[in-house]
Amino acid sequence: MAEQGMRTILGFDFGKKSIGCAIGQEITGTANPLNAIKAKDGIPQWSDIEKLLKEWQPQLVVVGLPLNMDGTEQQLTKDAKKFGNRIHGRFGVQVEFQDERLTTADAKEQLFAAGGYRNLSKGNVDSQSAVLIIESFFEASYQ
């Protein structure tokens, strides 16, 4: 297993219809978007998750926690925790959770700046949010 600071991290922006995905490298502190995964009521095709895990072989999975602005939990927070716990249970990979407040707004802003409205598809926004979740995890880990 790679030591902390050298790990590959797979990040997810959990959603009921779409789950954003990104891959990050601790050594650079950066992440890149991957294709979003479709979900039905928050449940993905688990084979899609398995493919990502096999392809990237991350040492850690980070799932964004959609908290209310005051930091309290909502139903989607519980659903995101269940999703992360299922990844751990099914695949045995370590899972951590990261506050994702405002990542969607930041993701839309970045994508619009890079390519205008055409760049704001749901999958693009969700995967860019996953990038921001990983990068905020890096920032919180190394302060």
Side-chain angles (χ1 to χ4, degrees), residues 73-110:
E73 292 191 1
Q74 55 183 309
Q75 183 57 48
L76 199 57
T77 313
K78 293 176 179 73
D79 294 341
K81 285 182 176 179
K82 184 187 288 186
F83 170 73
N85 290 335
R86 284 184 175 161
I87 290 174
H88 175 72
R90 282 177 181 254
F91 306 108
V93 65
Q94 181 184 350
V95 175
E96 292 193 28
F97 297 94
Q98 177 65 33
D99 182 350
E100 68 165 51
R101 283 177 281 183
L102 300 178
T103 56
T104 300
D106 290 347
K108 286 180 180 177
E109 190 177 301
Q110 290 177 4

